[in-house]
Amino acid sequence: MTEISRLPGPVMELWEWQYQGSCRDADDTLFFHPEGERGSTRRRRAEAAKAICRSCPVMMECREQSLRVREPYGVWGGLSEDERSAILSGRDREHKKAS
């Protein structure tokens, strides 16, 4: 059996910002593309999700969290999967240059 007593306890203040998200009452299928969705249909869905993000009081917290954990799917903090990937690739290149 896994020993869990050594794991850190919950730290509510680290995650409480999520309760303020504008997306909490939105349909989650707006933020995650269905299998096989492509082209203009995908772009329109992602833009509708991003419109919700633009009015969100915790957009930057969401964005930074998605980048920190390298969230592979969906629109988070107003960024699509491809946009997050580009940001992370740029950060990785900068990190390699600095090393």
Side-chain angles (χ1 to χ4, degrees), residues 17-18 20-22 52-68 76-79 84 87 91:
W17 61 267
Q18 293 178 351
Q20 300 170 30
S22 296
I52 293 171
C53 294
R54 280 191 292 275
S55 67
C56 184
V58 293
M59 183 181 78
M60 294 310 295
E61 290 91 334
C62 181
R63 178 177 292 184
E64 286 305 313
Q65 173 65 17
S66 72
L67 292 168
R68 188 171 20 293
W76 293 86
L79 297 175
R84 285 193 309 280
I87 290 169
R91 286 182 181 179

Side-chain angles (χ1 to χ4, degrees), residues 2-3 8 11-12 22 37 49 51 53 55 65 77 82-83 87 89:
T2 304
E3 175 59 46
V11 183
M12 184 62 181
S22 296
E37 183 184 58
C53 294
S55 67
Q65 173 65 17
D82 293 338
E83 291 165 332
I87 290 169
S89 292

